[in-house]
Amino acid sequence: MGRIAYVNGRFVPHAQAAVHIEDRGYQLADAVYEVWALFDGKMADAEGHFARLERSLGELRIPMPMSRRALTLVLRETVRRNRLREGLVYLQVSRGVAPRDHAFPVCGAPPAVVITCKAVDRAAADAKAAKGCAVVTTPENRWGRCDIKTVGLLPNVLAKQAARERGAVEAWFVDDLGLVTEGASSNAWILDADGVLRTRDTNANILRGVTRRTLMDVIAAAGLKVEERAFTPEEARQAREAFITGAGSLVTPITSIDGKPVGDGAVGPVAMRLRSLYIERAKATAV
Ligand SMILES: Cc1ncc(COP(=O)(O)O)c(C=O)c1O
C-alpha cells in the first residue's frame, strides 16, 4: 500500500489515515468507489471511470465531493506523493459523517473522500496471466443494482474467499437462468466455438466494466467479432477460450472453471493478444 493517503482534504501517512466511526461508508456501506489502473503514473481509462463514478453517485443521490477537475488533481497528487508508476489508485466517496440512521442525514453532511494507491509489479502480473487462472462458479446472490459501484461487497467478498479456498483467483456468479453474470471483481468473457467474443449484456445485473467497454473498441479495431450475449459455465468450458477483464486483472486468461478445463486447457492466444492490445491502448490514452 502507498505510504500516503488522502482523507477528507488532507494527505496523511497511510498508517495514521482514518475515518470517523460515524462515516456512513463504515456504518452502512453507504458509499461508492472507483479504481483506475496506473501506467507510468497516469490513469488508464480516466474518462470512463469518472463517468461511472458520477453515475454511481447520482444513482445514490450523493453529490460529487468536488469537480472532476479538482478530483483529478487530488488523485494525481496522491499518486505523485507515493512516487507510483505502475499500480492502482482507489477512490471512495461516502455520504459523509452523521449520527447512525438508515435514512439520509437531515442536515446534509458533506461527502467523505478517501484516496489510496498501491503498486503493481507488472512483470509478475504479466507472467501470472501468461500461465492462465482458475475460476469457480457460485450462485448469484447480490442485490439488483450491481450497476452501481458501491462498497457493499459482502457477497463478492464471500465468493472471492470461496474461490481462494478452492485454488482459484476469481468466482463467477451464475444467475437463476444458469447464465454467468460476471466475476466478483471482473467481467466474464468467452471466445465461443464459432470464434465470437461474448460477454454479458448490460441490461443484466452487472457492473458496466470500464475495461470491458474499452476492450470492445479494441476488439472492433482488431477486426474480431463481439457480441453481448450470455453464456453458461458449460458453454464457457466448451468455448475456445475464456478470460476476465477489470482495472486490476486487465485481461486475464481463464484456463479452468470449477476444476474442469476451458477448451483444451491451454492459455488462450486471443486473450493474450487482447491483453497486449488493451495495455497498449491504455498506455497510449492514460492521463
Ligand atoms: C463486480 C465487478 N465487475 C466488473 C469489474 C470490472 O470493472 P472495471 O473494468 O471498470 O474495473 C469490477 C471491478 O472492480 C467489479 O468489481
Side-chain angles (χ1 to χ4, degrees):
M1 203 41 92
R3 289 170 301 114
I4 306 288
Y6 173 89
V7 185
N8 295 325
R10 294 195 310 137
F11 292 98
V12 287
H14 187 270
Q16 276 117 57
V19 294
H20 196 281
I21 56 164
E22 296 280 26
D23 186 292
R24 290 179 62 92
Y26 172 69
Q27 289 279 354
L28 303 156
D30 189 1
V32 305
Y33 73 106
E34 267 306 328
V35 183
W36 288 258
L38 294 168
F39 291 96
D40 201 18
K42 294 183 190 157
M43 291 184 284
D45 285 329
E47 162 69 31
H49 287 283
F50 275 117
R52 188 174 61 192
L53 171 71
E54 287 168 0
R55 182 176 177 280
S56 295
L57 289 170
E59 291 295 309
L60 299 183
R61 292 194 278 151
I62 298 174
M64 265 288 265
M66 58 186 97
S67 69
R68 196 192 275 207
R69 196 179 141 75
L71 207 45
T72 305
L73 290 176
V74 181
L75 285 160
R76 282 203 185 126
E77 183 60 14
T78 311
V79 172
R80 193 190 68 78
R81 288 186 187 224
N82 285 287
R83 297 205 182 99
L84 204 63
R85 308 312 298 173
E86 304 298 319
L88 295 166
V89 59
Y90 176 96
L91 164 72
Q92 180 167 320
V93 181
S94 85
R95 200 182 302 278
V97 175
R100 191 176 185 282
D101 179 11
H102 288 60
F104 299 173
V106 187
C107 49
V113 182
V114 168
I115 301 173
T116 54
C117 52
K118 75 170 184 191
V120 170
D121 180 341
R122 294 267 174 233
D126 286 345
K128 200 172 158 205
K131 286 196 184 125
C133 292
V135 299
V136 295
T137 59
T138 189
E140 180 64 86
N141 59 354
R142 299 175 299 162
W143 75 322
R145 293 303 310 270
C146 293
D147 57 308
I148 307 173
K149 199 167 169 68
T150 85
V151 302
L153 290 170
L154 199 45
N156 310 54
V157 166
L158 297 177
K160 206 75 161 186
Q161 179 61 21
R164 182 177 292 176
E165 286 169 10
R166 291 163 65 190
V169 301
E170 181 58 302
W172 278 1
F173 290 109
V174 177
D175 67 15
D176 288 346
L177 302 170
L179 300 166
V180 175
T181 50
E182 62 179 335
S185 64
S186 61
N187 289 110
W189 295 72
I190 58 169
L191 174 65
D192 74 11
D194 300 324
V196 179
L197 288 155
R198 280 163 59 186
T199 190
R200 192 77 192 254
D201 65 276
T202 52
N203 292 322
N205 185 32
I206 63 167
L207 185 73
R208 296 166 190 181
V210 176
T211 318
R212 172 191 178 282
R213 180 59 258 161
T214 299
L215 194 69
M216 286 198 174
D217 297 340
V218 168
I219 290 168
L224 302 172
K225 265 199 254 171
V226 60
E227 279 179 24
E228 293 180 272
R229 180 149 61 93
F231 51 84
T232 64
E234 187 49 31
E235 270 182 283
R237 279 187 288 265
Q238 301 297 326
R240 291 187 201 165
E241 300 186 19
F243 58 93
I244 55 172
T245 57
S249 52
L250 305 177
V251 179
T252 296
I254 298 302
T255 46
S256 78
I257 300 168
D258 290 332
K260 296 185 200 115
V262 172
D264 61 6
V267 171
V270 174
M272 284 307 286
R273 181 163 160 241
L274 291 176
R275 180 179 173 88
S276 303
L277 291 173
Y278 172 77
I279 292 173
E280 215 174 275
R281 158 108 40 145
K283 282 182 178 167
T285 56
V287 292

